[in-house]
Each structure stands twice: as C-alpha cells, then as structure tokens.
Amino acid sequence: MLARAARGTGALLLRVRGSVQASGRAPRRASSGLPRNTVVLFVPQQEAWVVERMGRFHRILEPGLNILIPVLDRIRYVQSLKEIVINVPEQSAVTLDNVTLQIDGVLYLRIMDPYKASYGVEDPEYAVTQLAQTTMRSELGKLALDKVFRERESLNASIVDAINQAADCWGIRCLRYEIKDIHVPPRVKESMQMQVEAERRKRATVLESEGTRESAINVAEGKKQAQILASEAEKAEQINQAAGEASAVLAKAKAKAEAIRIVAAALTQHNGDAAASLTVAEQYVSAFSKLAKDSNTVLLPSNPGDITSMVAQAMGIYGALTKASVPQAQNSVSSGSSRDAKGTNANLDEEIDRVKLS
C-alpha cells in the first residue's frame, strides 16, 4: 500500500512539474519529496519539517531526533533554510525613453519563517520570481537607456527592497538580486556605438585644442621670460660698463691730480722754472719736427724759422699762467730770477744750436 502511495505521489509531482513548465513558470529547485510518517524521525540540519495533527498545524520539527504519532501526525511541508538561488528568465522591459530591452537576472533568497512560507503562499519560489520580474520592469521604466548601464547597483537595490516589502508576509527574505545580461536592439546598439565614437572624437578634439592652447601659452611665456632676462642682462651690462667707465675716469683724474701735485712740488724746488722751460721747449721742437707727417693739413706759425721767438712765446704763456696761479711764489723768488734767467737763456741757446745741427 505504501509503495502504491509513493508511486502515486511521484506521478502527481511529475504532472505538477510538467504543468508548471508548460505554463511558463521558472524551474524549481530539486526536491526529494515528503518523508514517511514513522514514529522516530531524524531531521537534517538546515531543514524545517512542518507537522500537521489531524489536518491542523501542530509544530515545526527541529534538526535531530523527533517522535511523531503515525496516525494523528503528518509531515505536510519540508522547507530548506539554506540560501536559494533562482534564475530569473529573460524578459522584455521598456525604458523611460521607449527603448525595449531584454534583461535577465539571478535572485538570492532565504526562508526565514517556515510557517509563513508553508501557509502564506502556494509556491514561494514562483511568487518571488514573478515579483522580481514585475519589479524589474517597473524600475526599468523609471530610467533612461543611458542610466540603465550606469545605475545597475541602484537598480538591483531597488528590486531587492521591493521584493522584501512584498515577501515579508511569505516568510522569505531576498538577500540580493543581480542583473546578468542586458540585450539592446541592433539599431539602438549601432546608435550607441555611433554616440560613443562621436563622444570620443569630441574629447579628442577638445584635448587637442587644449594642448594647442597650452603650447601657445608656454611659447608666449618663454618669449616673455627671454625678453625680460635679455633686458635685465643688458641693463646689468650697461650698469657695469658705466661703473667701469666711472671708475676709470676717477682713476685717471686721481692719477692726473697726483701728477699735477708732483709737478707743482717739483716746480717749487730750486731751478724748477728752468726745468719747466726746458721741457716746454723740447715738446715744442718735437711737435714741430712731426709737422706734415700724419696729415696733409699743416698749421704753421708766422715765422717758423725763428725758433727763439717761438720758445720765448711759449715761455711767455707759461710765465703768465705761473704768475696768475702762484703770485706769492714769484715775489719770494724775484731776487734769484735774474740769475736763473741767464742760465735758462744759455740752456735754451744750447738746445736751439743742437736742434739746428740735427
């Protein structure tokens, strides 16, 4: 009798599964069927057996050893407390911008309350699968095509929240939902590729223009810095040159002042005027001897043959300058000037005779 009942139950399950698959339902997970009603039962770990006594819910058997009354107690439902993975079939959905997509996913759920899962809904897995499909279609209708690919995580979270709100009375908890594939129509896919290519060309053009602008700015900055450095170098060169010229002029002035001081000191000594007269006469004769050598233009005195008059004229100029500068020195040496003049005239005569002979 038990064998016939088991065979009948198996045939009934096969008919039910065939009818579910023919009606378009999602394939359910493998089930081993209901255990036999015996006195001693051993419940596996992570399973919950729902027991009815005389057709009414009695209790849920815990994992381990359990004892039942064969005639009164009956195991009605066997619920697995493990995490269940359900493959959501591919379906069509319309986005906010009227694009039809083919989308499928994977649903992860767990039975939290075996009593509600047994008496709250006829087929928990099928109910959750249908709820996931309808929720996914409604959530996709709120998004445009461009946002569907960018907001997959938020879309998955929205589907999970909607399933948990509806499946709470079924004793089922949806842990997560993952979208596997999104199939776009061929024309829309071509348009998206063209849009991506246009966006890439746009970014390339923008980057190229930015590079050209940066290059022009860098070249202009380089020219500006070069001009500034060149002007600063020229300024420093002029400053250094002016400082060098000023130092040279100052050094020459100091040297000339020192030379004049030495000459003045020498003139104040004994026979200084005679030595000065001799020096002037030598310079005059030397300058006169170089006439017409360096240039064709020559300036000659009125009587170039009279050297004595020229020397006397030069000495007269020197004497006038000496009288104007040092009148007190001439007064102090007036007594000895006659004697020095005779010696000076004698020296001048000798120098003139030497020049004539040469």
Side-chain angles (χ1 to χ4, degrees):
M1 182 182 296
L2 292 175
R4 287 196 300 270
R7 286 195 298 269
T9 303
L12 180 61
L13 288 173
L14 289 176
R15 287 196 299 271
V16 171
R17 290 180 182 176
S19 63
V20 168
Q21 293 180 359
S23 62
R25 293 185 179 183
R28 297 183 60 183
R29 57 190 172 87
S31 177
S32 60
L34 298 178
R36 295 179 181 180
N37 293 333
T38 58
V39 178
V40 179
L41 295 176
F42 296 95
V43 180
Q45 186 68 30
Q46 289 296 100
E47 284 190 5
W49 293 3
V50 180
V51 178
E52 293 180 353
R53 177 168 289 180
M54 293 182 293
R56 185 177 180 181
F57 173 75
H58 176 58
R59 65 188 177 116
I60 298 176
L61 300 182
E62 299 293 335
L65 178 62
N66 293 274
I67 299 175
L68 297 179
I69 301 175
V71 179
L72 300 180
D73 296 337
R74 180 186 175 186
I75 300 174
R76 182 62 176 172
Y77 300 100
V78 175
Q79 303 291 348
S80 176
L81 302 181
K82 298 179 183 178
E83 186 173 348
I84 303 171
V85 181
I86 301 177
N87 185 20
V88 180
E90 185 178 7
Q91 61 176 342
S92 62
V94 181
T95 60
L96 184 62
D97 49 356
N98 296 326
V99 178
T100 303
L101 303 177
Q102 298 294 329
I103 187 169
D104 57 358
V106 179
L107 185 64
Y108 299 86
L109 54 88
R110 177 178 292 173
I111 296 176
M112 307 302 294
D113 191 346
Y115 176 80
K116 291 182 179 180
S118 300
Y119 298 100
V121 64
E122 180 65 25
D123 192 345
E125 297 179 7
Y126 177 74
V128 172
T129 303
Q130 294 299 314
L131 181 60
Q133 290 181 345
T134 55
T135 305
M136 183 168 54
R137 283 195 293 266
S138 63
E139 292 295 332
L140 283 175
K142 300 176 183 178
L143 299 175
L145 179 61
D146 296 336
K147 295 184 179 180
V148 171
F149 299 95
R150 293 196 301 264
E151 298 184 2
R152 295 182 66 169
E153 294 184 0
S154 61
L155 181 61
N156 295 335
S158 300
I159 294 174
V160 170
D161 293 338
I163 293 174
N164 288 330
Q165 291 177 4
D168 185 45
C169 60
W170 300 341
I172 299 174
R173 179 72 178 176
C174 181
L175 301 179
R176 57 188 178 277
Y177 180 85
E178 297 293 338
I179 297 175
K180 289 197 301 184
D181 296 322
I182 300 177
H183 300 284
V184 184
R187 292 186 177 179
V188 177
K189 189 175 182 180
E190 293 177 0
S191 301
M192 293 175 64
Q193 291 179 353
M194 294 175 61
Q195 182 180 0
V196 171
E197 292 178 359
E199 186 68 24
R200 289 178 178 175
R201 287 196 297 268
K202 174 184 175 182
R203 285 185 292 178
T205 305
V206 171
L207 292 176
E208 184 178 0
S209 62
E210 290 180 355
T212 304
R213 185 187 66 178
E214 293 292 335
S215 176
I217 292 174
N218 293 334
V219 171
E221 288 290 338
K223 291 182 179 179
K224 176 183 176 181
Q225 294 294 331
Q227 292 179 357
I228 291 174
L229 293 176
S231 61
E232 290 180 355
E234 185 177 0
K235 175 183 176 182
E237 182 181 0
Q238 292 178 357
I239 291 174
N240 294 333
Q241 185 176 1
E245 291 179 355
S247 300
V249 170
L250 183 60
K252 289 180 180 179
K254 290 181 178 179
K256 189 173 182 180
E258 186 66 23
I260 293 173
R261 190 179 298 108
I262 294 173
V263 171
L267 291 176
T268 57
Q269 295 180 1
H270 183 67
N271 295 329
D273 295 336
S277 300
L278 179 60
T279 302
V280 172
E282 289 179 352
Q283 292 179 357
Y284 184 84
V285 172
S286 176
F288 187 77
S289 65
K290 294 180 180 179
L291 292 176
K293 287 185 179 180
D294 297 334
S295 176
N296 294 328
T297 302
V298 179
L299 297 176
L300 296 176
S302 60
N303 189 10
D306 192 359
I307 299 176
T308 305
S309 61
M310 289 187 293
V311 173
Q313 185 180 0
M315 292 303 299
I317 295 171
Y318 174 75
L321 294 175
T322 304
K323 290 178 181 180
S325 60
V326 286
Q328 294 179 357
Q330 289 182 355
N331 294 328
S332 61
V333 294
S334 59
S335 59
S337 59
S338 59
R339 294 190 301 268
D340 295 335
K342 291 180 180 180
T344 302
N345 291 331
N347 292 331
L348 289 174
D349 292 337
E350 292 178 359
E351 185 66 27
I352 291 170
D353 293 337
R354 185 177 60 79
V355 171
K356 286 181 179 181
L357 290 175
S358 62

